[in-house]
Amino acid sequence: MTAASRHYVLAAGGTGGHLIPAFALALELERRGHHVALITDERGAQIPGKPASLPAHILPPGRIAGKNPLGWVKGAMGVIEGRRMALRLFESFAPTAVVGFGGYPALPTMLAARAAGIPTILHEQNSVLGRVNRFFAPRVNAIATAYEDIDKLDPKLAKKVTLVGNPVRSEVLALRDAPFPAFTSDSLLRILVTGGSQGARVLSEVVPDGLAMLPTALRARLQVIQQCRPEDIEAVRHRYASHGIPAELATYFENMAERLAHAHLFIGRSGASTIAELTVVGRPAILIPLPIATDDHQAANAREMVAAGGARAIRQEKFTASELAKQIQAMAQHPETLANAAHAAWNCGYPNAASDLADLVEGFGGAPLMDVIRVGGKPAVAKSKEALALESAE
């Protein structure tokens, strides 16, 4: 370990939306010579893509929600135990800073960091500040965002906010400078359909019939790749076969970056990681925000991309086969329309998100030698550059 090497802890809830940017930041910090540890829950530890070098520490999530008082008690006990476990990790790992990515599994860790006097940074992936991040926002040193406009973020906290974007997987980022796949009036129209890690039933029900309603000339050029729920896949396969539309179906695609690279149009949800990947690569989309998403954050996530002309959004209650067919025709009937939408999506991307977030995180810590100094058996409290500057002025 070099003198400038530091330790960082990342705390993320057990969904891909929280974990994928955490993984990307971990890789960037490791590339810079730092040591990183991840705190998550059992579900988060199973999310694909975790770097092999990143140790994962499992804490009880401490979710305090619902109307059952017994659930509150159980959740509070989980928070207390998780905070205790995180403090023990801090004693041995001595982090310079702790970065929270939201989700209930991050709650105990952020509480522990506050108790230990360790600088804290939040990263918000969505266009609506999540509940855990909302609680900690007034209490942390810095807030990194993925969008310029964030709902439920107190304007009084503006001085803490830095727009960095949402870090994406390295294999997706590698596609940033690749050209949009050639699309002419007589070439194949390759459509990628996904609905999250487990697929989405509404997509399985609507998309095949919507594609079947396209004009004959356009329908004959379709090539579809669709992710389906396991219990829906055979019914979807039968639907496509009855319409005479070639479709490759699976419950999970390991090489999703490759599929995205060849796609002309994406149809699916507007989760934070989905939007980040579509905009980094530059792929036009028809987005159907998940209606039960907390605070309707998926609808908010779609705003910027839609406003720029890179996507069209359809509320699920209006997501019918005829509406889908109409929107596809509007985007794909003329090659230049689809290419323009792809460029508009590309302009919304933040390819330097991982690097910019790492720069922000590195800004909270003492001089390199302070990172290995211990006072009274405890790690020296790391300080931000701003705090050090204030001390010098005094």
Side-chain angles (χ1 to χ4, degrees), residues 146-147 165-166 176 275-276 278-282 302-311 341-351:
Y147 297 88
N166 199 6
R176 174 70 175 175
I275 297 292
L278 289 172
T279 54
V280 162
V281 178
R303 286 186 310 216
E304 182 179 299
M305 196 174 172
V306 170
H343 186 65
W346 190 88
N347 282 335
C348 293
Y350 291 91

Side-chain angles (χ1 to χ4, degrees), residues 39-60:
I39 291 181
T40 186
D41 60 358
E42 291 284 358
R43 188 169 59 145
Q46 304 304 316
I47 298 295
K50 186 182 78 67
S53 58
L54 180 64
H57 301 267
I58 311 301
L59 299 190

